[in-house]
Amino acid sequence: MATTAELFEEPFVADEYIERLAWRTPGGGSRGGEAFDPKRLLEEFVNHIQELQVMDERIQRKVEKLEQQCQKEAKEFAKKVQELQKSNQVAFQHFQELDEHISYVATKVCHLGDQLEGVNTPRQRAVEAQKLMKYFNEFLDGELKSDVFTNSEKIKEAADIIQKLHLIAQELPFDRFSEVKSKIASKYHDLECQLIQEFTSAQRRGEISRMREVAAVLLHFKGYSHCVDVYIKQCQEGAFLRNDVFEDAAILCQRVNKQVGEVFSNPETVLAKLIQNIFEIKLQGYVKDQLEEHRKSDAEQYLKNLYDLYTRTTNLSSKLMEFNLGTDKQTFLSKLIKSIFISYLENYIEVEIGYLKTRSAMILQRYYDSKNHQKRSIGTGGIQDLKERIRQRTNLPLGPSIDTHGETFLSQEVVVNLLQETKQAFERCHRLSDPSDLPKNAFRIFSMLVEFLCTEHIDYALETGLAGIPSSDSRSANLYFLDVVHQANTIFHLFDKQFNDHLMPLISSSPKLSECLQKKKDIIEQMEVKLDMGIDRTLNCMIGQMKHILAAEQKKTDFKPEDENNVLIQYTNACVKVCGYVRKQVEKIRHSMDGKNVDTVLMELGVRFHRLIYEHLQQYSYSCMGGMLAICDVAEYRKCAKDFKIPLVLQLFDTLHALCNLLVVAPDNLKQVCSGEQLANLDKNILHSFVQLRADYRSARLARHFS
């Protein structure tokens, strides 16, 4: 097999190469059914090795030839690079020499130019002076013959000449040149009017380039400001056709801002003058029309309009801040806003407080009228204060109880209305008050909220609720004060939320913060005292109702039945009714209060409930079966006490249940029961007092166990 390049294709693997060689050799494998011939295969391998050696020698000679050729070409390339470097150095030297020569010639040319300018400038001035003298003579003779004055197309050149003549004429003595000065001034005025007229016409035609040319000429005339006024006036023609003057003003300024830079050399001054014109004429007139209409007749609409107009004006000012109006545009725009609203902002807070006071009083009065309630005055002074102190210390209901027919005289609708009015007042105060007056004004608004919401509404409802609580020995079961507590808690949350959300941001960094916090603390503490007092008296009434139920339903024969063997009831009727009443009151307390207040009030009620049952049980004498019935009653009371979910209350009834066991325990086991786990820590007098209630106390000589 001939050795070819295709046998060495990449990737080259020696084993595969041998396999292919053997496969192509006749007798080297099983191809075509031929038998394997090792001699022939060996001969083929020897021949192939010789061919590979010949190929290797041939390739080696070719490689050596290519290396010699490469070395030769490398030497030739290096020689050529050296020649090019030498040529480059020569060219660089020539370039430096040429650069020095050019610099020398340029210096000479500049020097020559300076000399020529020094000669030409006086010459040009002389020529210009000669021309001005010629034109001056025409004015002196009274006849303008030059084409520059008679040709209307050369108004620009005429304006330049007349402006210079006008400056010269001002330096001449009046007595000798009064007539010519008058003629020049007249021509100056005529040209000025023509230029302004030309500017006006170009503006109407929308020819920006012509406007720019005329404005550049008028820049040196006294009437340049009049040109700006004309431009500003014409810009506003047809610009304020919609009802929204603020949006129209923003669109106009946006359009003029793009154009003014192409027309005037001082665009920021012109744009500032346009904005000033819009504020002082258009906006000020619009604001006056909107506010003066309601200023004396409708305070609510006046305040709404003032807030809306001031807000829209400041928003417009924010948009105008994007434009180039000079160095201190913030101060410029602030002064414009102040000039419009200063007369309204000076007494804003007085109007706000007056409106808030009237509106709040009306909301409250409308509510009381809807209830057909004539609001009674809460007394003040020495006698009332004395009554209040006595009531706080003794819990006595001084004065007649008032039947409120279940009305709490608290309304969330009224509260929401008052808070909404105050919220809007805070928003207006934030926007319209001077930063230095903001905390003080916010405090005044807060004081109005405290007066009408806390004092006139909540405090009045608490006083009325307190007066409506019946005495503890009354048979009336109408205890509505818990409803007052529930609604007052809800209102306090709303009041506190508005304090944090709307008042705090206005006073957080001022001395008024501590004053507001103290005022809030005082009013809440004052109301908490009345709430605590009302809850305490309500609990007393609950206990009083339980006393009436026990007195009416509990019979002496319940615990000392005539027939000991025929007692069918599990617990007494008095116990059933008392437990039903207690469960209702517990549920009502949970509904009326929140947080830790629920546990606090329930614990107090539970302790009083326990004391009532304890004292009630000690009024009777108990037979053996009666004692069992008493234990059943106390077990039911204990089950009722579990609804309180107060460990102390449950513990008290557990102890009471253990005490009742003393009523039925066998006399011989009495001492052992008294030393039990639940009774061991009790005073012996308490244990003795319960044992004394047993019907067999004397006959069984039970006193000996306590001697």
Side-chain angles (χ1 to χ4, degrees), residues 508-557:
S508 57
S509 57
S510 75
K512 286 292 180 181
L513 174 61
S514 59
E515 195 171 345
C516 287
L517 290 172
Q518 186 60 44
K519 191 177 186 72
K520 174 188 169 187
K521 180 183 177 183
D522 292 343
I523 194 71
I524 289 179
E525 286 180 351
Q526 176 185 342
M527 292 184 181
E528 283 179 345
V529 168
K530 294 182 180 180
L531 286 170
D532 291 344
M533 186 192 312
I535 292 170
D536 184 64
R537 291 173 57 188
T538 300
L539 295 181
N540 282 343
C541 288
M542 291 179 184
I543 299 301
Q545 290 297 313
M546 296 180 211
K547 283 182 179 179
H548 286 305
I549 294 172
L550 291 172
E553 301 294 333
Q554 197 84 72
K555 300 175 181 176
K556 290 187 177 181
T557 56

Side-chain angles (χ1 to χ4, degrees), residues 672-701:
Q672 181 183 354
V673 172
C674 288
S675 59
E677 181 180 353
Q678 288 185 314
L679 301 179
N681 295 327
L682 291 182
D683 188 271
K684 282 188 177 182
N685 293 328
I686 296 176
L687 302 177
H688 192 190
S689 65
F690 257 82
V691 173
Q692 285 178 324
L693 301 176
R694 292 173 58 138
D696 61 348
Y697 175 73
R698 295 183 182 276
S699 60
R701 298 173 61 197

Side-chain angles (χ1 to χ4, degrees), residues 128 130-140 144 146-149 161 165:
E128 188 176 348
Q130 185 183 15
K131 288 181 180 180
L132 289 174
M133 290 173 65
K134 174 188 172 185
Y135 297 135
F136 186 81
N137 284 334
E138 291 184 15
F139 279 98
L140 198 59
L144 301 178
S146 300
D147 183 56
V148 72
F149 292 125
I161 293 169
L165 289 175

